[in-house]
Amino acid sequence: MMGPFSYRLLTATAISIALATGPPLIAGDASPVEATRVHEDNFRLLSLRLGRLTLADSLEAYTTPGDGLCLDLQQTVDALDFPIRVNAGNGTANGWFRAESSVFALDRSKHHVRAGGRDESVRTRDVLTSPTGLCVDTAALARWFDLELTPDLPNALLVAKSETKLPVELAEERKQRQARLRPAEERALDTFPRARSPYALWRTPALDLVADAGFIDDKVRNESRMTGRYELYASGEAARMSFDARFASNTRAEPESLRLRAYRKSVDADLLGALKATEVAFGDVVSYASSLSSENSYGRGAYISNQPLDRPQTFDRTELRGELPAGWDAELYRNGQLIAFSDSRADGRYEFLNVPLLFGNNRFEVRLYGPQGQERAETRTVNVGMDSIPAGKTYYWAGVLQDEKDVLTLRDIPRVRDGHPMRGAAVIERGIGKRTSVALQLHTLVPNDDERLTYVEGSVRQIVGPALIQLDLASDFEGGVAIGGQMIAQYKNTYLTAQTLFADNFVSDRVDPGLNSQHSLALDHYFDIGAQTIPVGVKLAYKDWTAPRSDTLDVAARISARLAGLSLTQEVAWQHISGVRGAGGDDYMTGTTLVGGRVGSVRLRGEARYRLQPTSELESISLAAERALDDRSIVRADLAYETFTDRVRFGAGYSRRFDRLALGLRAEAASDGSLAAGLNLAMSFGPNTRGKRPRMTATKLASTGQAGARVFTDRNRDGIWQEDEPLHKGVTIAAGTAHADRPTDESGTTVVDGLRAFQPQLLSLDASTLADPLLKPAVRGIVVVPRPGIIMPVDFALLPTGEVEGMLYYDSGKGADALPGADLELVDKDGTVIAHVRSDFDGFFLFQDIVYGDYALRIGTATASALGLPQQTLKTVHIGDAEPIVRAGSVTLIQPLAALTIADAAPDDSVAYGGTLVRRILR
């Protein structure tokens, strides 16, 4: 007698033979040809753009013979947000695009693709093999997905166009509408479990060390000297608080500054009990910035706040600050546009002040470059229009500090202003409605080395359509008054920013003495020109001063573009200073050219500053180029000229990163005969894995967060590792752009470095790296909120799984027949449906990846309703170590079935459904 499996195999074979001997769907050559591989020397990284949307910054591609280009299929469909899964091993891809009705099925071995109801033969050159998967020709992809794909290899671009909007475009439009109408929705990360790590009385800090030593023969000063400099940055935990410390020397290796800070931050606003604070800090801190009264200042002091972390304090601009180790430089990008550079400073910080904000999404990226070729990116997103306070919500900020004074002063750094006066602020904001909020602020400070003043400042903020408007009023206790108004708006690709201010005997950080009024208007527009998006900005500003100071009119223009992988920005600024008492005015015009990016394998950075009026003169120019010799070594060359010294300087360097440290060598020569040479060293120390062993690495540890992941089989399903539960080696853990340098070791652990501190991030386990296919993660991912210098322990529990298979029959009184197309469910002891499948054409069903336990097998709700049956339990099964694969055998529905019709069956007698044959079942 033929068994169920043999019957199923025979039936499938018969159907396959019938299909194979039938006429082809599409005429063409489908003879099997050995797959062709791409040539790795033809590798390219492209930026995929759809209108103004950048869908991918590093899409892998390869040039092919005949000026062709192929794209990594999985990366492409992921960027387009098409739910298509690629199996590179067997050369298949299945899913849908644009809409669920547009089915996509690719089978390279059969030279066949079905895309949106169209069947097409696949040529060998259409689908190639790459080191990471399948690489598909752009012409074929464009044809299959109804797109236009235009490569622009000199600019490293791939421009996509579609006659109808793609789901990713519609989703972006919905986000923009939501940003204008209501606060952001609950984040998807909230649906994942979160790893908790309470603050400790003491956790050994991570330590970043940067040191250099050199020799200078300076012809300008006519002296030769040795130089030495070091900087240590540490972060850890003490007394249940985070702390950081920076200890630095001057160029003579003499201790110069020591900066200390203790603080707590919480994205959940659960600090200090009823105060529900998000942040509390004391030591070296930063003060509050307002629209009319106070600028940001740093010094020793303390503050407390319940405002969301990283929320901008001012209306139309923001400040970005961070640690910049000695010898590093920084580049600032806003929405991909190069804005500014910052070199290392004596205080070890980078500062980008008064950076303008646009309505909607502002994505800032600070790219940091180290002397040994290190690269690090810090990103921050500011959504203008989305940060209005929710109705009924109150935010506060209160703090005090001593201007530009460290907690422990080793050596005073010269300041423009005298002394270190105290300043303080108290701020309260309230959401009145979905579109309206009000604020009241109290500030005390000493502006412009003058007498101390106390200010009261109030503001009203209102969203009106695609615009955000704020009105401000401030007064000091000496009778000075200032009134201001600001607006940020967006219409399609155009962004508008306007500001006005009137002052009457009012002096503050924001308003200089003698200013009567100031007004500005800025317009930014993004032009789509061919494959390029060109941002152009124009700003006009007028200041009215009390005599004898002259009024000023400023006009500035900026244009940016990408060319051959480079970001180019050109700025021109013109200023007119009016004459006093009828005298003629003065005109000044300056220009700045910024260049940053890559040309092939070379990273370039250039900056030129020059005067255009009243005289034309080059002020300075610099150009630096870096090229990686391998994944650990970099060579650098730079050229600079300054008019002030009338000297040309040339430098060259070599750096190499080892596992435990990074070393750099540098030499310089100048046109006046000056010479210099130096050696640079960088390394970090910190806890290893789960904080039990020290480690030394070239990766910066103190300024970022880490996660110590452990992977184990959770036999008792309690989520906690026990001594008798196996640990797993060779498993890969990732967290967005960060990743573990190595998979888990023999102890089942590894470390994920480079996590952004105090930002929720999702850690996930790559199930494809598990040696046992019958193990699966207990959760899809785990959210961590890293703290700098601390390894957050995260346990990934694996659950053993099994399978349940069988044959489904029905008995209508005339003998048992297979029942295809029926829904079946597995239900746990709590009554929760944990899996459902549909029986094949021959009644075969298979449940996979089922966690060990006791389950009930029952007919699905829809099928039971269609059959006129109660949702009955058909069989109980137990999956465990003794029987991981349960063969349920024949499961029969014994009840007469009258005029039986499967609900999902098509009107005809047979139809392809999900790759199986579903038949109409009649009595």
Side-chain angles (χ1 to χ4, degrees):
M1 182 175 180
M2 185 179 298
F5 178 77
S6 300
Y7 171 76
R8 177 171 176 263
L9 178 61
L10 181 60
T11 305
T13 303
I15 293 177
S16 300
I17 293 174
L19 292 175
T21 55
L25 295 173
I26 298 293
D29 180 16
S31 58
V33 179
E34 182 178 354
T36 303
R37 298 186 60 86
V38 298
H39 198 290
E40 295 188 14
D41 290 343
N42 297 329
F43 176 75
R44 298 288 188 274
L45 275 179
L46 304 181
S47 177
L48 176 59
R49 294 188 182 178
L50 180 65
R52 289 193 56 238
L53 294 177
T54 299
L55 303 183
D57 289 321
S58 55
L59 179 63
E60 296 183 6
Y62 294 83
T63 55
T64 57
D67 295 328
L69 182 73
C70 70
L71 309 175
D72 183 278
L73 181 56
Q74 187 67 72
Q75 291 185 19
T76 303
V77 297
D78 287 347
L80 294 170
D81 203 20
F82 292 161
I84 296 174
R85 185 174 182 84
V86 179
N87 189 327
N90 56 24
T92 62
N94 293 278
W96 54 269
F97 62 99
R98 293 183 181 268
E100 292 186 5
S101 58
S102 299
V103 176
F104 181 82
L106 169 68
D107 192 329
R108 185 175 64 173
S109 64
K110 295 182 179 179
H111 299 269
H112 176 263
V113 65
R114 183 174 181 82
R118 303 185 308 272
D119 292 279
E120 180 178 329
S121 60
V122 177
R123 299 170 300 181
T124 300
R125 64 176 179 270
D126 286 340
V127 183
L128 307 178
T129 302
S130 73
T132 58
L134 300 182
C135 197
V136 180
D137 182 75
T138 52
L141 281 176
R143 188 169 62 250
W144 297 345
F145 296 146
D146 296 326
L147 296 171
E148 289 182 26
L149 295 174
T150 306
D152 182 5
L153 296 184
N155 290 313
L157 288 175
L158 177 67
V159 179
K161 293 184 179 180
S162 173
E163 293 184 359
T164 59
K165 291 185 178 180
L166 297 179
V168 67
E169 293 177 283
L170 297 174
E172 183 64 23
E173 290 179 358
R174 289 194 297 271
K175 291 179 182 178
Q176 292 182 1
R177 289 196 297 268
Q178 293 168 2
R180 294 192 293 265
L181 297 177
R182 61 178 181 269
E185 299 287 343
E186 181 182 22
R187 294 173 299 175
L189 290 181
D190 292 339
T191 62
F192 291 89
R194 181 182 292 186
R196 305 285 180 177
S197 181
Y199 278 86
L201 290 174
W202 173 257
R203 278 197 174 100
T204 302
L207 178 67
D208 296 339
L209 168 65
V210 177
D212 61 61
F215 171 79
I216 296 177
D217 182 14
D218 191 342
K219 298 301 182 183
V220 175
R221 297 182 178 180
N222 194 27
E223 66 175 2
S224 298
R225 64 184 183 275
M226 298 294 296
T227 64
R229 181 175 56 178
Y230 56 84
E231 177 183 308
L232 295 94
Y233 181 81
S235 60
E237 288 181 5
R240 304 194 185 282
M241 297 190 73
S242 295
F243 75 86
D244 53 41
R246 177 185 177 271
F247 179 60
S249 75
N250 58 21
T251 56
R252 296 184 297 276
E254 300 168 344
E256 184 174 63
S257 65
L258 174 61
R259 188 179 303 133
L260 300 168
R261 180 179 61 146
Y263 63 98
R264 288 279 295 268
K265 291 185 180 183
S266 171
V267 296
D268 301 317
D270 57 2
L271 302 178
L272 300 180
L275 293 178
K276 296 182 179 180
T278 56
E279 190 170 3
V280 58
F282 59 88
D284 292 302
V285 298
V286 178
S287 67
Y288 196 88
S290 71
S291 298
L292 299 177
S293 304
S294 176
E295 288 270 16
N296 281 129
S297 179
Y298 67 88
R300 58 186 180 189
Y303 68 85
I304 180 175
S305 172
N306 76 332
Q307 296 177 343
L309 300 179
D310 288 337
R311 180 175 182 262
Q313 296 173 343
T314 51
F315 175 82
D316 61 346
R317 57 191 178 273
T318 188
E319 286 84 25
L320 294 100
R321 290 180 172 86
E323 299 296 329
L324 188 64
W328 286 59
D329 56 74
E331 298 174 355
L332 174 63
Y333 291 79
R334 183 190 64 195
N335 297 338
Q337 182 183 19
L338 179 61
I339 299 295
F341 295 127
S342 177
D343 294 319
S344 68
R345 312 185 317 180
D347 63 356
R349 285 187 174 102
Y350 68 78
E351 284 188 336
F352 296 106
L353 304 178
N354 295 319
V355 181
L357 295 172
L358 303 178
F359 188 88
N361 187 51
N362 295 260
R363 184 180 186 275
F364 293 104
E365 182 179 14
V366 179
R367 300 178 185 174
L368 306 176
Y369 301 96
Q372 295 89 19
Q374 306 98 318
E375 293 189 21
R376 196 177 67 203
E378 298 178 358
T379 59
R380 176 184 173 189
T381 300
V382 179
N383 294 298
V384 176
M386 296 180 66
D387 63 344
S388 294
I389 305 174
K393 182 73 174 179
T394 300
Y395 291 152
Y396 66 83
W397 192 99
V400 61
L401 63 82
Q402 187 177 7
D403 274 343
E404 299 185 31
K405 186 71 170 178
D406 293 340
V407 172
L408 297 175
T409 302
L410 303 181
R411 189 184 301 268
D412 264 334
I413 298 176
R415 302 175 66 241
V416 175
R417 299 172 58 181
D418 294 331
H420 301 275
M422 299 293 295
R423 69 168 60 213
V427 181
I428 186 168
E429 302 174 272
R430 177 77 175 179
I432 304 302
K434 291 184 177 180
R435 297 169 175 263
T436 308
S437 65
V438 296
L440 181 65
Q441 305 181 25
L442 182 66
H443 297 271
T444 177
L445 53 94
V446 179
N448 302 303
D449 293 330
D450 207 342
E451 63 181 10
R452 176 171 299 279
L453 294 175
T454 301
Y455 306 84
V456 176
E457 181 175 340
S459 64
V460 178
R461 182 176 295 188
Q462 177 75 36
I463 297 178
V464 181
L468 185 62
I469 300 172
Q470 179 169 304
L471 300 177
D472 303 289
L473 173 64
S475 174
D476 61 46
F477 287 1
E478 302 297 324
V481 177
I483 299 175
Q486 304 169 79
M487 181 186 72
I488 301 179
Q490 175 190 4
Y491 179 72
K492 295 185 178 179
N493 292 348
T494 302
Y495 298 85
L496 177 68
T497 303
Q499 184 265 345
T500 187
L501 167 69
F502 294 91
D504 181 14
N505 195 31
F506 186 87
V507 178
S508 71
D509 281 353
R510 295 287 192 186
V511 181
D512 290 332
L515 181 67
N516 295 323
S517 67
Q518 66 180 30
H519 318 279
S520 66
L521 178 67
L523 191 69
D524 290 89
H525 185 81
Y526 288 78
F527 292 93
D528 294 324
I529 303 176
Q532 285 268 17
T533 297
I534 308 294
V536 177
V538 178
K539 182 177 181 180
L540 293 84
Y542 175 76
K543 290 186 178 182
D544 175 23
W545 298 92
T546 300
R549 190 166 180 178
S550 302
D551 298 343
T552 58
L553 174 64
D554 292 271
V555 180
R558 175 198 296 261
I559 183 172
S560 298
R562 289 185 60 85
L563 178 63
L566 292 176
S567 295
L568 307 175
T569 297
Q570 177 63 53
E571 297 176 340
V572 176
W574 172 75
Q575 183 181 63
H576 173 74
I577 302 177
S578 64
V580 180
R581 296 179 181 177
D586 296 319
D587 293 318
Y588 299 90
M589 183 178 292
T590 60
T592 303
T593 302
L594 305 177
V595 180
R598 291 184 179 275
V599 176
S601 58
V602 178
R603 185 180 75 87
L604 293 176
R605 169 188 163 177
E607 181 176 14
R609 297 185 180 274
Y610 38 88
R611 298 192 192 102
L612 300 173
Q613 195 177 354
T615 60
S616 296
E617 183 180 17
L618 177 66
E619 292 184 342
S620 65
I621 187 171
S622 62
L623 180 65
E626 290 182 355
R627 186 181 187 280
L629 301 180
D630 52 40
D631 60 347
R632 289 177 175 262
S633 301
I634 289 181
V635 292
R636 174 187 174 105
D638 54 85
L639 181 69
Y641 170 75
E642 290 182 351
T643 303
F644 178 74
T645 59
D646 191 25
R647 182 169 67 173
V648 178
R649 179 181 55 80
F650 174 77
Y654 169 81
S655 61
R656 182 169 181 82
R657 290 173 57 85
F658 301 91
D659 288 339
R660 299 181 182 275
L661 53 86
L663 287 174
L665 297 171
R666 180 171 176 78
E668 294 183 1
S671 56
D672 62 358
S674 298
L675 298 173
L679 171 68
N680 186 279
L681 167 70
M683 65 179 69
S684 291
F685 304 88
N688 191 12
T689 314
R690 302 181 73 84
K692 294 182 179 180
R693 300 188 304 273
R695 62 171 170 156
M696 188 174 88
T697 176
T699 303
K700 293 179 68 66
L701 301 177
S703 56
T704 60
Q706 299 95 46
R710 176 168 55 194
V711 183
F712 68 98
T713 299
D714 190 10
R715 287 176 172 170
N716 59 2
R717 299 177 63 176
D718 64 352
I720 302 174
W721 177 69
Q722 314 292 334
E723 291 289 343
D724 60 342
E725 290 177 331
L727 297 165
H728 294 274
K729 178 184 177 182
V731 183
T732 299
I733 306 294
T737 56
H739 65 282
D741 290 334
R742 296 180 177 85
T744 54
D745 56 19
E746 290 80 2
S747 65
T749 60
T750 188
V751 177
V752 182
D753 290 320
L755 301 178
R756 187 178 177 190
F758 302 108
Q759 293 293 319
Q761 288 155 91
L762 181 66
L763 269 65
S764 59
L765 180 150
D766 185 355
S768 65
T769 60
L770 294 173
D772 188 348
L774 294 180
L775 290 174
K776 76 172 185 179
V779 294
R780 294 176 299 155
I782 300 175
V783 173
V784 297
V785 182
R787 301 195 289 268
I790 300 302
I791 291 186
M792 304 286 289
V794 181
D795 279 343
F796 282 92
L798 301 178
L799 300 177
T801 66
E803 300 177 353
V804 179
E805 65 176 41
M807 303 293 295
L808 182 63
Y809 293 91
Y810 77 94
D811 188 350
S812 60
K814 296 182 178 180
D817 290 324
L819 181 58
D823 290 321
L824 291 169
E825 298 174 346
L826 272 185
V827 184
D828 64 14
K829 60 183 179 181
D830 296 324
T832 302
V833 178
I834 56 98
H836 65 272
V837 298
R838 176 165 290 171
S839 60
D840 287 351
F841 64 90
D842 57 355
F844 178 80
F845 63 86
L846 174 64
F847 291 93
Q848 295 178 300
D849 297 329
I850 307 301
V851 177
Y852 285 3
D854 295 308
Y855 302 97
L857 174 66
R858 74 183 186 189
I859 201 76
T861 304
T863 299
S865 176
L867 298 178
L869 296 174
Q871 196 173 15
Q872 56 187 293
T873 296
L874 305 178
K875 197 166 190 175
T876 59
V877 296
H878 173 78
I879 306 174
D881 287 328
E883 192 177 9
I885 300 178
V886 177
R887 293 177 172 82
S890 299
V891 179
T892 305
L893 291 173
I894 305 175
Q895 182 170 341
L897 306 180
L900 176 64
T901 303
I902 298 299
D904 292 319
D908 55 349
D909 286 339
S910 64
V911 62
Y913 186 92
T916 62
L917 192 66
V918 178
R919 293 183 297 157
R920 179 184 292 263
I921 308 299
L922 300 176
R923 184 176 177 179

